[in-house]
Amino acid sequence: MACSCSKSGGKCACSPGACTCPNCSKKSRDFTDFLKPATPTGPDILSKERGQSNVPIEELSKHLLSRNDFLTRQDRVLRVLINEPLFNKDKQQNLSRPERYHLGLARAKKLRRLSDQHGWDDEDHAMGQYLCDDVSPYMVHYAMFVTTIREQADEQQRAYWNPKIEAGDVMGCYAQTELGHGSNVKGIECEARWDPKTKEFILHSPTLTASKWWNGTMGRTANHAIVVAQLLVPKSAESSDYVSHGPHPFIVQIRDMKTHENMPGIAVGDIGPKYGYAPMDNGYMLFDHFRIPHSAMLSNYSRVDPNTCTYSKPANPAVVYGSLTYVRASIIMHARLIMARAVTIAVRYGCVRRQFQDRDSNDKHAPELSVLDYPTVQIRILPLLATAFALHYTGQAMQDLYAGTRAQIDRGDFSKLAVLHAQSSGLKSLCTELAANSIETCRRAMGGHGFGGGSGYIQLNNDYLSKPTVEGDNWMITQQTASYLIKRMASAVSSKSKPEDEVDEACRGWLKDEHNKNVPTLKVLRDDQAIVQAFHRRSRYLTYQAYVAREVKKHSWNSLLLQLRKVSHAESQSILVTNFFNALHSDQDQVSPTLQGHLATLFRLFAYYTMDAEARDFLKANAVSDADLDELPTLIQQLMSDIRPHAVRLVDSWKVPDFLLDSALGRSDGKVYEDLFNSAHRLNPLNEITFNPHYKSDEIVMGKGSDELQKILAKL
Amino acid sequence: MACSCSKSGGKCACSPGACTCPNCSKKSRDFTDFLKPATPTGPDILSKERGQSNVPIEELSKHLLSRNDFLTRQDRVLRVLINEPLFNKDKQQNLSRPERYHLGLARAKKLRRLSDQHGWDDEDHAMGQYLCDDVSPYMVHYAMFVTTIREQADEQQRAYWNPKIEAGDVMGCYAQTELGHGSNVKGIECEARWDPKTKEFILHSPTLTASKWWNGTMGRTANHAIVVAQLLVPKSAESSDYVSHGPHPFIVQIRDMKTHENMPGIAVGDIGPKYGYAPMDNGYMLFDHFRIPHSAMLSNYSRVDPNTCTYSKPANPAVVYGSLTYVRASIIMHARLIMARAVTIAVRYGCVRRQFQDRDSNDKHAPELSVLDYPTVQIRILPLLATAFALHYTGQAMQDLYAGTRAQIDRGDFSKLAVLHAQSSGLKSLCTELAANSIETCRRAMGGHGFGGGSGYIQLNNDYLSKPTVEGDNWMITQQTASYLIKRMASAVSSKSKPEDEVDEACRGWLKDEHNKNVPTLKVLRDDQAIVQAFHRRSRYLTYQAYVAREVKKHSWNSLLLQLRKVSHAESQSILVTNFFNALHSDQDQVSPTLQGHLATLFRLFAYYTMDAEARDFLKANAVSDADLDELPTLIQQLMSDIRPHAVRLVDSWKVPDFLLDSALGRSDGKVYEDLFNSAHRLNPLNEITFNPHYKSDEIVMGKGSDELQKILAKL
């Protein structure tokens, strides 16, 4: 049994004498119980780090995490979870994937029962999922099934389904992606053919590649599914000539409500182990001429008249893009928490870990340096710390923008939707890429222990790496942003009518004042405003190049894809820098001068680091001088030195609980080595078994003969 | 039971009718048995791809894989493994980490018994490990324990230990790294204190951080260990004043030879789950005043006189660096196989996977494009294909160099060792970085299925990601290369004596002919030789900058670390480009004109791609003109188009067996979707269980009450 006492925020390091819980006192004691790590110890190091900085942690936490009561909610839900043995993470890395599903299902149920018990709202429940850190087998039910019913079902359908959902009887999933088609939704093969005689739809999978695939919650958990299928309707009730109306959603019962066995005519199951998502039952599903009633087609927007076979289209399909924008703003807000979590571990352990004395030091007995003192470690971690802030301000700005235009959208005014959608595509791509890469970058900067189970990076990485692909593949969706920008530049060049929106206006300004003009480069080393302008100028410049290649030189779209991605990233970087700058200079949300100073340093680090990586672009765009670009590496190193003493308090301010970090290296109390050793020596089930290592014997476990070999063979 | 029949090279896709093995015919049949993937099918696509290219596969395979009989050995060993059920990989992703150790141990034993049975030599056995693809629990025994006895033990010690090792009775590991110290070996805390009274060493771990940590094969398998400890010897037999002589190796029995229980006074065990290395028992070990005899100290180089306490030093410690160079050349040769494996999967599935029609096409019924036709996919995969070749030629060149100087080294002439060691450090850093990143880059280019268990990337990535850290952390060891280069540049600047070696000479040439001279830039677009010269010029330029910063401006070493890393990478890239070029123009090892043409294209792609990523350096070094650098993106895209039709045959030439690939996406026969579906529908143990999804019940498995919940709780 793992120690599940609640010391140190639920993660007990079981130092002998310090921990007196029944579990720990049962453990056999040995000489290692009396050993301490070498000095300076982790706790001493971290308290020194915290003592040397003036970062106002509480002010900064409020600044970052007040929206929607995040902080108080986190505290409240954490207090509940930490006392439930089911949410103990100490030994879960030893579980097999099938066991992780069992555990995931048990936790999903428990979370929902806790919601009932404590009167949690949806956001509290989501916080529970976030802290539990499982990709829950119930996840798609909440995230997709319930929302699709709400948005796509008509009033009658909602009245029928909602009570069953609320009672917990109907557990649903969302089946769109197929074995052969993901990105190209229009290419899906599953068919829903209207049979005017029986007045039913016939769901059918004509090929193996038509199998639904990846759909979460479907593999083992759900008893219902929203199935997206090509709607085929006869030209008239008498015709045998079918017309395809493209993909439409249907609600389908897929398992028996009593036995939970698959419905006859449906093959459905779990697709097996994946990179991450161990507790989630991503599924496959095929239909063999499976009949569903007319009421199965979700009919808020489109419907088929059961008598005449007339098909009516949705009024305005753009509505869908509205919520996509909201989803993507949330993805950015989530990405910043992922980065904060990765960087919290890296900064704390980067201080605790010491390796080598200063090569130039004359003092032979000088203590070894914290690895975070080396520029080679700083350059991997501190720009990411700054990036977490950059993502924060843009995530907020996108949420605000969406909220601001929501009313317009509801009135049917979609004029701002195009820019919102274009921006959110590029930002989703860039921000999830930055966050996904940050985990592995931090992990590698931690030396050997980064590869160990105590790093806190393994599950984080394995789960998060889905993000660059889902909700629009990161490389693919940059086309949407670039395509929009090229259109606006074309409109600006033609200058026929009024500017269509702010981007069009910005393009016109650039064409008029900067393009082919002998304007001076921007003084980015002296002036933060100039940094923002330099990012704008470079984005306009690249947009114009792409416009010329496509619209003037008529290059093929596919031959331009790399250039288009570059345009999209440049625009997204420009947005990140602009929102960061605006937040620092906004009258709203005033911060203390001390905090303002730290945020300005982080702003510059993010901006210069981003600029340095793409220096040649800024030069070509006549945005920054060659001499100024040459200065950037030195400046970046200086800014990192400025931030270094404040790094621990800066990450502390993100308030990632130890329970969520689940990292020996990143523990807030610095007891890194105690925790690593405790996990190995006292919590590792493999150490309870004695093996027979001699190659001539096929006995695996000492004294068990060939039994264990047979057991393993049976599982292969 | 998984299907373990030997169809399709050991990986049966169980298409109904095609497979008649007893396992498959036992499976319950359903309507999915009769479904086929949509056309064009994978096999059709791949055979078309293979038909359109003139790459001479057999010639290229021999060119790449003849050394040391690699290809014939691979075939021979593969035929044995493929028929052993124990090496079946179909369901192993469902095993827990403790189960993976059980399986790993069983496989390690079996491999060694197969060696006896088939009369395999060490290389055959190593091939078996490579194809099995487990990080074997016996690995460190062979890789470190046996070799350390060979090199560090004196004659008498070897005579004592070798027979026990050969009989398989002694199973050893190598315990150097500790919880608190890895990179800085001199900082380890474990002590071996000579007790002149009892004539024993006392091994002791004074702190928790002194615990040995990470040491493979030690956790559960080994009964002996080479323990590296600080040697403490009294000034004389009577003195109580101890002198430290730094880390030295000792051989220690750590477990009972009969019961395999830990020896009293030693705490040793497995450290628990890690990122990868599931079958390997990386261990921890602490000593409590554990006494070992005088004969335990390996004494080929240094020894302690048991009577006088006199310590004798090794004659020349540089010997050690010789074999380090060899190890690092092997790391490069291994890295190229890792890249070839990653790219094989990516190229094949990149052809089979089709998504979207050409946006500019007028044909509404045109088939969707292979994703490998998109430049956004090409740019991630094809430069990596070229890089695998670049690594190949440099790995070979380093092995040849080492073999060429081995005789010198054996004669005590270490003059070429410095340059070899410096080059191998930088190359280890760059090449393992390229290989490690290639896996994840390819994986993300595969869309959703890259995240799935059928990708073949999961274990590959999890295991290989240890490489950027082990055998010298990739960021840290670039200092060794840069430090050497700065010394040579200093020697060239002072020009006092004759050049010390070829690098010194090259620096003198650059100072004389290129530095501060108005020489024209190199015509890299017209001439392959000029490409090589451009890489040299840039490396010399950056070396000179670093020399000035350190030796003239006297900047602190640590403030220069980022610059030093850049210098090291530039030099390593220069070596890669040079060896690639030389191999293409060598009189030895002639290839056919057809193959020569393809290799030249790959050379240019690798060189231009590398140059483009660091364009500003080449400009600053006056190596390439701004106008030429502007052309690179277009040229790279053109080269990728040239390679595209030959991509499948180029990866085929690396001859990575399906058994090793273990990838549905990368199957040589293209049956991607059949394999993915078979794994999910017929081989997934989770689908044999029916669950109870209702949140109000704490029953997990239908009909089992709360039993399963209790079982899971007991494992937390």
Side-chain angles (χ1 to χ4, degrees):
Chain A
M1 284 287 287
C3 171
S4 55
C5 74
S6 59
K7 306 218 175 262
S8 317
K11 202 145 170 44
C12 165
C14 295
S15 0
C19 185
T20 52
C21 83
N23 254 323
C24 293
S25 55
K26 264 191 292 182
K27 296 274 164 200
S28 68
R29 295 292 174 92
D30 62 35
F31 71 90
T32 64
D33 291 349
F34 306 98
L35 290 174
K36 299 207 154 102
T39 53
T41 66
D44 288 348
I45 292 166
L46 288 190
S47 87
K48 199 175 150 209
E49 290 281 344
R50 287 174 178 131
Q52 78 195 1
S53 158
N54 63 356
V55 168
I57 294 183
E58 295 310 316
E59 185 193 355
L60 180 49
S61 296
K62 270 191 205 152
H63 176 72
L64 293 168
L65 304 167
S66 287
R67 182 172 282 227
N68 201 18
D69 285 329
F70 184 91
L71 261 188
T72 49
R73 193 186 310 278
Q74 176 170 281
D75 286 347
R76 182 157 39 82
V77 174
L78 182 61
R79 275 199 300 276
V80 175
L81 293 200
I82 226 162
N83 290 314
E84 293 286 346
L86 194 57
F87 296 98
N88 180 11
K89 302 171 189 178
D90 286 350
K91 289 164 84 174
Q92 75 183 21
Q93 291 185 70
N94 288 294
L95 299 184
S96 70
R97 195 265 151 168
E99 286 170 333
R100 284 301 300 274
Y101 174 74
H102 283 73
L103 176 61
L105 183 58
R107 285 174 172 172
K109 291 177 175 215
K110 184 77 186 178
L111 264 183
R112 174 107 191 237
R113 290 203 298 269
L114 288 172
S115 282
D116 286 359
Q117 193 181 330
H118 296 277
W120 286 349
D121 62 19
D122 287 354
E123 305 255 10
D124 294 330
H125 182 261
M127 176 61 78
Q129 286 196 336
Y130 167 73
L131 292 171
C132 164
D133 207 27
D134 268 2
V135 179
S136 162
Y138 280 2
M139 193 256 275
V140 176
H141 172 80
Y142 297 114
M144 298 288 293
F145 181 79
V146 174
T147 49
T148 305
I149 299 282
R150 188 168 58 222
E151 289 172 10
Q152 307 270 337
D154 65 21
E155 208 169 321
Q156 207 180 342
Q157 288 170 325
R158 286 198 298 270
Y160 178 82
W161 291 106
N162 280 340
K164 295 177 197 292
I165 291 169
E166 273 152 32
D169 296 333
V170 162
M171 172 61 52
C173 59
Y174 186 86
Q176 176 175 299
T177 296
E178 295 179 354
L179 188 51
H181 284 87
S183 298
N184 183 9
V185 178
K186 285 183 189 161
I188 62 170
E189 299 180 74
C190 180
E191 300 173 350
R193 190 180 290 268
W194 176 246
D195 179 351
K197 294 202 185 68
T198 64
K199 301 205 192 297
E200 291 167 316
F201 294 100
I202 306 168
L203 276 181
H204 187 60
S205 313
T207 64
L208 201 60
T209 39
S211 175
K212 293 298 168 188
W213 200 269
W214 274 120
N215 328 96
T217 307
M218 190 169 84
R220 303 274 79 200
T221 315
N223 46 33
H224 283 71
I226 308 288
V227 177
V228 178
Q230 300 283 1
L231 174 65
L232 299 171
V233 184
K235 282 192 170 160
S236 70
E238 288 73 36
S239 170
S240 60
D241 208 3
Y242 275 79
V243 180
S244 172
H245 295 286
H248 281 73
F250 300 82
I251 182 165
V252 185
Q253 184 185 332
I254 61 172
R255 290 190 172 93
D256 186 274
M257 296 301 283
K258 280 226 166 110
T259 66
H260 203 60
E261 298 286 352
N262 299 352
M263 299 291 278
I266 299 184
V268 54
D270 175 274
I271 61 169
K274 298 139 296 187
Y275 205 95
Y277 280 43
M280 170 58 97
D281 55 322
N282 297 90
Y284 66 89
M285 182 160 60
L286 289 139
F287 301 96
D288 182 18
H289 301 95
F290 187 82
R291 288 175 174 268
I292 52 175
H294 179 263
S295 61
M297 181 170 160
L298 297 184
S299 302
N300 201 26
Y301 296 111
S302 20
R303 64 189 299 272
V304 171
D305 185 300
N307 300 314
T308 63
C309 294
T310 318
Y311 167 74
S312 32
K313 272 197 282 194
N316 193 322
V319 183
V320 181
Y321 291 106
S323 58
L324 196 59
T325 303
Y326 185 77
V327 167
R328 288 184 175 164
S330 311
I331 287 176
I332 302 170
M333 291 298 265
H334 178 242
R336 90 202 202 282
L337 291 178
I338 294 290
M339 293 191 83
R341 184 169 156 188
V343 170
T344 296
I345 296 169
V347 163
R348 288 182 185 154
Y349 182 56
C351 295
V352 171
R353 181 182 180 217
R354 290 171 173 249
Q355 213 79 191
F356 295 106
Q357 295 163 327
D358 185 347
R359 183 163 162 158
D360 290 330
S361 165
N362 293 321
D363 178 4
K364 274 206 159 184
H365 300 282
E368 294 180 285
L369 294 175
S370 285
V371 297
L372 194 60
D373 292 331
Y374 294 102
T376 35
V377 173
Q378 291 175 357
I379 196 73
R380 291 183 273 176
I381 296 169
L382 298 182
L384 296 179
L385 173 59
T387 307
F389 285 85
L391 265 53
H392 170 76
Y393 295 113
T394 284
Q396 280 204 330
M398 293 300 288
Q399 283 190 342
D400 292 346
L401 257 178
Y402 175 73
T405 54
R406 177 74 233 183
Q408 285 184 5
I409 294 168
D410 286 345
R411 283 196 308 272
D413 171 1
F414 300 112
S415 59
K416 292 213 174 161
L417 211 51
V419 58
L420 253 181
H421 177 61
Q423 290 190 344
S424 75
S425 298
L427 284 168
K428 185 271 173 186
S429 173
L430 179 63
C431 296
T432 57
E433 204 77 10
L434 289 169
N437 294 345
S438 75
I439 302 167
E440 175 63 9
T441 300
C442 286
R443 195 191 65 71
R444 284 196 208 171
M446 302 292 92
H449 292 314
F451 194 71
S455 70
Y457 288 124
I458 301 177
Q459 183 176 321
L460 181 65
N461 196 46
N462 291 353
D463 288 347
Y464 194 77
L465 282 190
S466 61
K467 289 290 183 293
T469 308
V470 299
E471 304 284 350
D473 176 89
N474 275 2
W475 281 69
M476 195 189 71
I477 58 175
T478 56
Q479 291 178 65
Q480 298 169 4
T481 309
S483 165
Y484 163 83
L485 290 170
I486 290 174
K487 271 187 214 143
R488 287 299 173 269
M489 184 58 84
S491 152
V493 169
S494 79
S495 232
K496 277 183 191 146
S497 48
K498 275 192 182 174
E500 292 185 47
D501 57 22
E502 64 196 60
V503 175
D504 191 339
E505 209 164 322
C507 291
R508 288 176 197 220
W510 177 83
L511 285 166
K512 183 165 150 287
D513 301 329
E514 298 174 83
H515 175 50
N516 282 338
K517 301 283 188 306
N518 201 5
V519 284
T521 55
L522 295 150
K523 299 294 156 221
V524 294
L525 306 190
R526 283 209 311 248
D527 176 5
D528 289 354
Q529 176 82 55
I531 295 176
V532 176
Q533 288 166 339
F535 274 89
H536 288 182
R537 189 178 289 178
R538 166 206 178 218
S539 181
R540 291 293 83 78
Y541 169 80
L542 291 174
T543 299
Y544 184 76
Q545 304 289 104
Y547 153 79
V548 169
R550 177 64 179 170
E551 299 294 325
V552 181
K553 298 192 182 160
K554 303 288 179 194
H555 287 315
S556 79
W557 185 257
N558 284 346
S559 74
L560 296 175
L561 289 179
L562 296 176
Q563 197 176 342
L564 299 177
R565 178 168 185 264
K566 202 167 166 150
V567 169
S568 170
H569 275 2
E571 177 70 7
S572 300
Q573 288 168 344
S574 169
I575 294 171
L576 286 172
V577 167
T578 307
N579 285 326
F580 202 155
F581 177 85
N582 289 346
L584 295 191
H585 299 86
S586 127
D587 294 334
Q588 257 188 313
D589 210 10
Q590 289 277 354
V591 298
S592 66
T594 309
L595 181 53
Q596 177 80 15
H598 291 297
L599 292 174
T601 309
L602 290 164
F603 166 76
R604 281 172 212 133
L605 178 58
F606 173 73
Y608 290 149
Y609 180 81
T610 306
M611 189 180 282
D612 181 50
E614 328 252 0
R616 218 157 164 268
D617 279 359
F618 284 88
L619 188 68
K620 294 272 162 190
N622 192 36
V624 185
S625 73
D626 197 41
D628 282 359
L629 290 169
D630 283 345
E631 292 299 314
L632 291 182
T634 310
L635 259 173
I636 290 167
Q637 210 160 317
Q638 183 54 51
L639 288 165
M640 294 196 301
S641 301
D642 295 345
I643 289 171
R644 166 67 189 89
H646 307 288
V648 169
R649 286 180 74 99
L650 283 170
V651 299
D652 284 351
S653 305
W654 283 96
K655 300 265 180 187
V656 186
D658 282 346
F659 179 80
L660 178 61
L661 278 182
D662 191 26
S663 165
L665 307 189
R667 287 172 71 102
S668 57
D669 65 5
K671 290 192 175 178
V672 172
Y673 297 116
E674 294 91 327
D675 193 348
L676 287 174
F677 185 72
N678 186 53
S679 296
H681 191 51
R682 303 190 188 94
L683 300 177
N684 182 358
L686 199 62
N687 289 332
E688 291 160 18
I689 305 165
T690 304
F691 293 88
N692 177 346
H694 206 297
Y695 85 94
K696 285 181 181 160
S697 161
D698 70 2
E699 179 178 79
I700 307 301
V701 174
M702 193 62 97
K704 292 263 179 112
S706 57
D707 281 11
E708 291 297 317
L709 179 61
Q710 295 312 319
K711 274 193 216 163
I712 285 284
L713 269 168
K715 291 189 178 183
L716 289 181
Chain B
M1 283 290 286
C3 170
S4 55
C5 74
S6 59
K7 306 217 177 266
S8 319
K11 205 143 169 49
C12 165
C14 296
S15 359
C19 186
T20 53
C21 82
N23 254 326
C24 292
S25 54
K26 264 190 295 185
K27 295 276 164 198
S28 67
R29 295 291 174 90
D30 61 35
F31 71 92
T32 65
D33 292 349
F34 306 98
L35 290 174
K36 297 207 156 97
T39 54
T41 65
D44 289 348
I45 292 167
L46 287 191
S47 86
K48 199 175 151 213
E49 291 281 343
R50 288 176 178 129
Q52 78 194 2
S53 159
N54 64 355
V55 168
I57 293 183
E58 295 309 315
E59 185 194 356
L60 181 50
S61 296
K62 271 191 203 150
H63 176 73
L64 293 169
L65 303 167
S66 288
R67 180 170 285 226
N68 200 16
D69 285 329
F70 184 91
L71 262 187
T72 49
R73 194 188 308 280
Q74 177 169 282
D75 286 349
R76 184 157 39 81
V77 174
L78 181 62
R79 276 199 302 276
V80 174
L81 293 200
I82 227 162
N83 289 313
E84 293 286 347
L86 194 55
F87 295 99
N88 180 10
K89 303 172 190 176
D90 286 351
K91 290 163 83 174
Q92 74 182 20
Q93 290 184 69
N94 288 294
L95 298 185
S96 69
R97 194 264 152 170
E99 286 170 334
R100 284 302 300 274
Y101 174 74
H102 283 73
L103 176 61
L105 183 58
R107 285 174 171 173
K109 291 177 177 216
K110 184 78 186 174
L111 263 184
R112 174 107 190 238
R113 290 202 299 270
L114 287 172
S115 282
D116 286 359
Q117 194 180 327
H118 296 276
W120 286 349
D121 62 17
D122 287 355
E123 306 255 10
D124 293 330
H125 183 262
M127 176 62 78
Q129 286 196 339
Y130 167 72
L131 292 170
C132 164
D133 208 27
D134 266 4
V135 179
S136 162
Y138 280 2
M139 194 259 272
V140 177
H141 173 78
Y142 297 114
M144 297 289 292
F145 181 76
V146 174
T147 49
T148 304
I149 298 283
R150 189 167 58 223
E151 290 172 9
Q152 307 268 339
D154 63 23
E155 211 171 315
Q156 206 182 341
Q157 288 171 325
R158 286 198 297 269
Y160 178 82
W161 290 106
N162 279 340
K164 295 176 196 291
I165 291 169
E166 274 151 33
D169 295 333
V170 161
M171 174 57 56
C173 59
Y174 186 88
Q176 176 174 298
T177 296
E178 296 180 353
L179 188 50
H181 284 88
S183 298
N184 183 10
V185 178
K186 285 184 190 161
I188 61 170
E189 299 180 74
C190 181
E191 299 172 348
R193 189 180 291 267
W194 176 247
D195 179 350
K197 294 201 185 68
T198 64
K199 300 206 192 298
E200 293 168 316
F201 294 101
I202 304 166
L203 277 181
H204 187 61
S205 314
T207 64
L208 201 62
T209 39
S211 176
K212 293 298 165 188
W213 200 267
W214 273 121
N215 329 95
T217 307
M218 190 170 84
R220 303 275 79 199
T221 313
N223 47 33
H224 283 70
I226 308 287
V227 176
V228 179
Q230 300 283 0
L231 174 64
L232 299 171
V233 184
K235 280 191 172 162
S236 70
E238 288 73 38
S239 171
S240 60
D241 209 1
Y242 275 79
V243 181
S244 173
H245 295 286
H248 280 73
F250 300 81
I251 181 164
V252 184
Q253 184 186 329
I254 61 171
R255 289 192 172 91
D256 186 275
M257 296 301 284
K258 282 226 165 111
T259 64
H260 204 60
E261 297 287 351
N262 299 352
M263 299 290 279
I266 298 183
V268 54
D270 176 275
I271 62 169
K274 298 140 296 191
Y275 205 93
Y277 281 42
M280 171 57 95
D281 54 322
N282 297 89
Y284 66 89
M285 180 161 61
L286 289 140
F287 301 97
D288 183 18
H289 301 93
F290 186 81
R291 287 175 175 267
I292 52 176
H294 180 263
S295 61
M297 180 169 160
L298 297 183
S299 302
N300 201 25
Y301 296 111
S302 20
R303 64 187 303 272
V304 171
D305 185 297
N307 300 313
T308 63
C309 294
T310 318
Y311 167 73
S312 33
K313 272 197 279 192
N316 194 321
V319 183
V320 182
Y321 290 109
S323 58
L324 196 60
T325 302
Y326 185 77
V327 167
R328 286 182 178 165
S330 312
I331 287 176
I332 301 170
M333 291 298 266
H334 178 243
R336 91 201 200 283
L337 292 177
I338 294 290
M339 292 190 84
R341 183 169 158 188
V343 170
T344 297
I345 297 169
V347 163
R348 289 184 184 152
Y349 183 56
C351 294
V352 172
R353 182 182 179 214
R354 290 170 173 252
Q355 214 79 193
F356 295 106
Q357 296 163 325
D358 185 348
R359 182 160 163 162
D360 290 331
S361 164
N362 294 321
D363 177 4
K364 272 206 163 185
H365 299 284
E368 294 180 284
L369 294 176
S370 286
V371 297
L372 194 60
D373 293 330
Y374 294 102
T376 34
V377 174
Q378 291 176 358
I379 196 74
R380 290 182 275 175
I381 295 168
L382 299 182
L384 296 179
L385 174 58
T387 306
F389 285 83
L391 264 52
H392 170 75
Y393 294 113
T394 283
Q396 279 205 331
M398 292 301 287
Q399 283 190 341
D400 292 346
L401 257 180
Y402 175 72
T405 53
R406 177 76 233 182
Q408 287 183 6
I409 293 168
D410 286 345
R411 283 197 308 274
D413 171 2
F414 300 113
S415 59
K416 291 212 173 159
L417 210 53
V419 58
L420 254 180
H421 178 60
Q423 290 189 345
S424 75
S425 298
L427 284 168
K428 184 273 170 182
S429 172
L430 179 63
C431 297
T432 57
E433 204 76 11
L434 288 168
N437 295 345
S438 75
I439 304 167
E440 175 64 10
T441 301
C442 286
R443 195 191 66 72
R444 283 195 208 171
M446 301 293 91
H449 291 314
F451 195 72
S455 70
Y457 288 124
I458 300 178
Q459 185 177 318
L460 181 65
N461 197 46
N462 290 352
D463 287 346
Y464 195 77
L465 282 190
S466 60
K467 289 291 184 291
T469 307
V470 297
E471 304 284 349
D473 176 89
N474 274 2
W475 283 68
M476 196 189 70
I477 59 175
T478 56
Q479 292 178 64
Q480 298 168 6
T481 309
S483 165
Y484 164 83
L485 291 170
I486 291 174
K487 270 187 215 144
R488 287 300 172 268
M489 183 58 83
S491 153
V493 169
S494 79
S495 231
K496 276 181 193 150
S497 47
K498 276 190 179 175
E500 294 185 47
D501 58 21
E502 65 197 61
V503 175
D504 191 338
E505 211 164 320
C507 289
R508 288 175 200 220
W510 177 82
L511 285 167
K512 184 166 149 285
D513 301 329
E514 298 175 82
H515 176 51
N516 282 338
K517 302 280 186 305
N518 203 5
V519 285
T521 56
L522 296 150
K523 299 296 157 217
V524 295
L525 305 190
R526 283 211 308 251
D527 177 5
D528 288 356
Q529 176 82 58
I531 294 175
V532 176
Q533 289 166 339
F535 274 89
H536 288 181
R537 189 178 288 177
R538 167 208 178 215
S539 182
R540 291 294 83 78
Y541 168 79
L542 291 174
T543 299
Y544 185 76
Q545 304 289 105
Y547 153 79
V548 169
R550 177 64 178 170
E551 299 294 326
V552 181
K553 297 194 184 157
K554 303 289 179 193
H555 287 315
S556 78
W557 186 258
N558 284 345
S559 74
L560 295 175
L561 289 178
L562 295 175
Q563 197 177 341
L564 299 177
R565 178 169 185 264
K566 202 168 167 153
V567 169
S568 171
H569 276 1
E571 176 70 8
S572 301
Q573 289 167 345
S574 169
I575 295 171
L576 287 170
V577 166
T578 306
N579 286 325
F580 203 155
F581 177 84
N582 289 346
L584 294 190
H585 299 85
S586 127
D587 293 333
Q588 260 188 314
D589 209 12
Q590 288 279 352
V591 298
S592 66
T594 309
L595 181 52
Q596 178 79 18
H598 290 298
L599 292 175
T601 310
L602 290 165
F603 166 76
R604 280 172 214 132
L605 177 57
F606 173 72
Y608 290 149
Y609 180 81
T610 307
M611 191 179 282
D612 181 50
E614 327 252 1
R616 218 157 167 268
D617 279 359
F618 285 87
L619 189 68
K620 294 273 161 188
N622 192 36
V624 186
S625 73
D626 197 41
D628 282 359
L629 290 169
D630 283 346
E631 291 300 314
L632 291 182
T634 310
L635 260 173
I636 290 167
Q637 209 159 318
Q638 183 54 51
L639 288 166
M640 294 196 302
S641 301
D642 295 346
I643 288 171
R644 165 68 189 89
H646 308 287
V648 169
R649 286 180 76 96
L650 283 170
V651 299
D652 283 352
S653 305
W654 283 95
K655 299 266 181 186
V656 186
D658 282 346
F659 180 80
L660 179 61
L661 277 182
D662 191 27
S663 165
L665 307 189
R667 286 174 71 103
S668 56
D669 65 4
K671 290 192 173 176
V672 172
Y673 298 117
E674 294 90 327
D675 193 348
L676 287 175
F677 185 72
N678 186 53
S679 296
H681 192 51
R682 302 189 190 95
L683 300 176
N684 182 357
L686 199 63
N687 288 332
E688 292 160 18
I689 305 165
T690 304
F691 293 88
N692 177 346
H694 205 295
Y695 84 96
K696 284 183 182 160
S697 160
D698 68 4
E699 180 177 78
I700 306 300
V701 174
M702 193 64 95
K704 293 264 178 109
S706 57
D707 280 10
E708 292 297 318
L709 179 61
Q710 295 312 318
K711 275 193 213 162
I712 284 283
L713 270 169
K715 291 189 179 184
L716 289 181

